[in-house]
Amino acid sequence: MTIIQLDNNHSLLLFIFLVGLSNWSIFVETSSYNVVNFGGKGDGTTDSTQAFQMAWANACASTEKVTIYVPRGRYYIKNVTFSGPCNNKGIIFRIDGTLEAPSDFVVIGNSEAWILFRHVDGITILGGNLDGHGAALWACKNSSYNTLCPTGATTLEFSNSKNVVINNLKSLNSQMFHITINGCKNVIIKGLRVSASSNSPNTDGIHVQSSSNVTIINSKIGTGDDCISVGPGISNLQIENISCGPGHGISIGSLGKDVTEIGVQNVTVKNVVFSRTKNGVRIKTWGKPSNGFATNIIFQHIVMNNVHNPIVIDQNYCPTHKACPGKASGIKISNVTYQDIHGTSTTTVAIMFDCSPTNPCIGIKLENISLTYKNQTTEARCYNARGVVVGQVQPTACF
Ligand SMILES: *[C@@H]1O[C@H](CO)[C@@H](O)[C@H](O)[C@H]1NC(C)=O
Ligand SMILES: *[C@@H]1O[C@H](CO)[C@@H](O)[C@H](O)[C@H]1NC(C)=O
Ligand SMILES: *[C@@H]1O[C@H](CO)[C@@H](O)[C@H](O)[C@H]1NC(C)=O
Ligand SMILES: *[C@@H]1O[C@H](CO)[C@@H](O)[C@H](O)[C@H]1NC(C)=O
Ligand SMILES: *[C@@H]1O[C@H](CO)[C@@H](O)[C@H](O)[C@H]1NC(C)=O
Ligand SMILES: *[C@@H]1O[C@H](CO)[C@@H](O)[C@H](O)[C@H]1NC(C)=O
Ligand SMILES: *[C@@H]1O[C@H](CO)[C@@H](O)[C@H](O)[C@H]1NC(C)=O
Ligand SMILES: *[C@@H]1O[C@H](CO)[C@@H](O)[C@H](O)[C@H]1NC(C)=O
């Protein structure tokens, strides 16, 4: 940069001008790869998969922070993998348009994910609509020829990545899970909208596993399975300001499917409204041996609107009633706090703690709970559960 000798006022102006210029260049002059320049077409029919892949290859090769830009329009995309490691730690995927999965579910139905990011450090998805066109696959799974249907793809998956931000994304009608976070560190999901029919199978809103430091905030999830499901190997997960429904609620588990499993610890779920969901807050483990655990879990400031099973610990999960020798879960559940939870249940049993006979739940705390059924009191049931009650708790605790 050339230094020009000026009087004080002018050098200040020049300084402001240069600062302005450098800010400007951050937004405009940093390389921006528009998928349209790689042959992408927002006409809803042209296969734009390769254009997206080429934009990614360029962005990932860049040694500076870059933006991949998807303008308005409907972009038909087959299953695609965006792989790192990249030469920079700051790719922004700014999506003003809609990405459309093939309407023929077979095209992506056998891949793990429709849109997969892996081994990426520093990636932001900004905006965007993802339409998984899952309805035809759900119908297939619901039909008499269901054994011929593919499993289905997760709409958006991040695996083995870190410093991931998903901001203001909308995901519609996924074949399977809408978003999966697997093997990641430092993830923020905010302003997410998930929408799928209440009878769509396995369409979890967000599934997280084997990850640490994940925040899910300010989001609205309505789907046919869990709004959020938490698998093994999770530590430091914050879930806050979520509206859930329809769906199966927020679930830690299923845990303990495998004998050797990494535990779940430090999970906070707060300021959540459940509306007409099958469950509210649930911890679910297989009824079989495992060395896993779930500890330091807090559910607080939660509203239940006509929820079937508002508060549940179920350690006897065994869907096929096979392969559960002894039927006692090895998962150790401890230090689970329920605070300020109120609203309505659609069944009389509003709290169910069905814990393992060999590994009872310990350190459960119930504080300020009020759950009613048809304007009447509800019931709590405990099996192998130990804990304390603080403040007003209705239904009466059963420890
Ligand atoms: C798409 O999925 C198929 C399996 O259904 C897989 O063979 C193929 O490699 C995937 N393509 C990409 C780019 O991930
Ligand atoms: C599956 O079939 C049942 C019974 O016909 C129906 O009630 C349900 O809505 C169907 N689900 C889907 C996803 O089509
Ligand atoms: C957790 O993630 C956030 C955002 O990704 C980051 O700012 C923070 O430093 C991380 N915390 C730890 C302990 O790594
Ligand atoms: C909670 O999330 C909704 C979006 O679902 C947002 O509109 C609202 O502002 C958030 N509330 C707070 C306190 O951030
Ligand atoms: C869980 O939280 C506790 C208390 O905040 C902290 O000491 C511990 O390091 C956390 N565990 C992990 C795995 O980060
Ligand atoms: C459970 O909480 C108690 C008291 O806060 C603490 O002493 C204990 O270490 C915690 N247990 C686990 C497994 O974190
Ligand atoms: C429980 O209720 C008491 C009395 O209203 C209040 O002081 C306390 O802060 C409440 N605790 C929580 C966690 O909401
Ligand atoms: C509950 O009680 C309120 C007033 O006490 C009444 O308006 C409402 O209809 C009742 N709801 C049910 C489901 O009985």
Side-chain angles (χ1 to χ4, degrees):
M1 182 197 304
T2 326
I3 306 292
I4 312 164
Q5 205 62 42
L6 293 164
D7 62 72
N8 275 343
N9 279 348
H10 281 95
S11 61
L12 180 65
L13 282 177
L14 180 67
F15 175 74
I16 290 168
F17 173 73
L18 288 173
V19 166
L21 204 66
S22 63
N23 276 342
W24 177 251
S25 65
I26 286 169
F27 292 112
V28 174
E29 284 178 25
T30 39
S31 314
S32 175
Y33 297 106
N34 187 329
V35 294
V36 168
N37 296 337
F38 293 94
K41 278 205 174 61
D43 60 4
T45 52
T46 305
D47 183 349
S48 297
T49 317
Q50 254 206 327
F52 276 68
Q53 258 165 346
M54 281 159 65
W56 175 262
N58 279 274
C60 188
S62 166
T63 52
E64 287 165 20
K65 298 185 174 188
V66 287
T67 298
I68 297 172
Y69 181 53
V70 182
R72 282 171 181 278
R74 306 179 75 85
Y75 298 82
Y76 171 88
I77 307 282
K78 292 181 186 157
N79 62 305
V80 59
T81 301
F82 300 119
S83 291
C86 294
N87 290 336
N88 69 83
K89 293 189 175 186
I91 298 179
I92 298 173
F93 222 119
R94 196 180 131 210
I95 309 174
D96 286 345
T98 298
L99 312 194
E100 304 240 17
S103 50
D104 176 0
F105 58 74
V106 175
V107 179
I108 65 165
N110 289 308
S111 34
E112 182 179 328
W114 170 31
I115 301 166
L116 172 66
F117 288 86
R118 60 177 185 203
H119 303 294
V120 181
D121 180 359
I123 169 92
T124 297
I125 311 286
L126 201 52
N129 298 313
L130 306 179
D131 188 344
H133 286 287
L137 177 61
W138 311 335
C140 177
K141 288 179 171 179
N142 205 23
S143 69
S144 51
Y145 51 96
N146 59 10
T147 54
L148 301 174
C149 318
T151 310
T154 284
T155 281
L156 174 65
E157 174 166 343
F158 285 85
S159 94
N160 299 96
S161 294
K162 57 187 173 180
N163 302 314
V164 174
V165 178
I166 301 173
N167 188 359
N168 274 324
L169 180 75
K170 288 197 180 79
S171 180
L172 179 71
N173 297 337
S174 191
Q175 289 190 344
M176 279 279 287
F177 300 170
H178 285 261
I179 294 180
T180 294
I181 304 294
N182 183 10
C184 295
K185 215 167 111 177
N186 304 349
V187 178
I188 301 178
I189 301 178
K190 57 184 169 185
L192 174 73
R193 293 282 175 281
V194 168
S195 175
S197 148
S198 62
N199 63 4
S200 57
N202 302 114
T203 52
D204 296 30
I206 304 172
H207 176 75
V208 291
Q209 64 176 39
S210 307
S211 297
S212 65
N213 192 22
V214 177
T215 298
I216 302 170
I217 190 166
N218 301 348
S219 297
K220 194 166 162 27
I221 301 172
T223 191
D225 208 304
D226 295 332
C227 288
I228 300 173
S229 57
V230 179
I234 283 291
S235 64
N236 302 333
L237 167 65
Q238 286 78 234
I239 296 173
E240 186 175 347
N241 185 29
I242 307 293
S243 121
C244 168
H248 294 182
I250 292 180
S251 184
I252 295 176
S254 313
L255 304 179
K257 188 170 193 225
D258 299 320
V259 174
T260 302
E261 206 177 80
I262 311 170
V264 170
Q265 62 186 311
N266 296 359
V267 177
T268 300
V269 176
K270 68 174 174 184
N271 300 329
V272 178
V273 176
F274 294 95
S275 298
R276 311 195 69 82
T277 50
K278 187 170 172 188
N279 307 291
V281 291
R282 177 172 59 159
I283 301 174
K284 177 177 161 194
T285 79
W286 284 74
K288 60 181 189 176
S290 174
N291 70 344
F293 61 86
T295 191
N296 295 336
I297 294 165
I298 302 176
F299 299 106
Q300 64 183 182
H301 313 311
I302 288 171
V303 176
M304 305 281 179
N305 291 322
N306 294 314
V307 173
H308 207 62
N309 306 299
I311 295 177
V312 189
I313 297 180
D314 172 9
Q315 293 212 260
N316 287 304
Y317 181 63
C318 194
T320 57
H321 298 284
K322 282 179 206 154
C324 301
K327 291 201 190 323
S329 176
I331 299 285
K332 293 176 182 62
I333 297 178
S334 63
N335 292 8
V336 185
T337 297
Y338 300 86
Q339 285 174 327
D340 183 24
I341 300 182
H342 56 92
T344 53
S345 171
T346 62
T347 60
T348 51
V349 179
I351 299 181
M352 171 61 96
F353 294 135
D354 186 6
C355 296
S356 166
T358 53
N359 294 284
C361 300
I362 56 171
I364 295 181
K365 181 171 162 187
L366 291 169
E367 177 172 4
N368 299 357
I369 314 266
S370 167
L371 293 164
T372 59
Y373 166 65
K374 291 187 174 164
N375 276 356
Q376 286 168 20
T377 55
T378 49
E379 250 180 76
R381 289 201 189 147
C382 293
Y383 304 94
N384 311 306
R386 310 202 178 124
V388 297
V389 172
V390 179
Q392 298 281 326
V393 172
Q394 183 57 244
T396 310
C398 47
F399 300 125

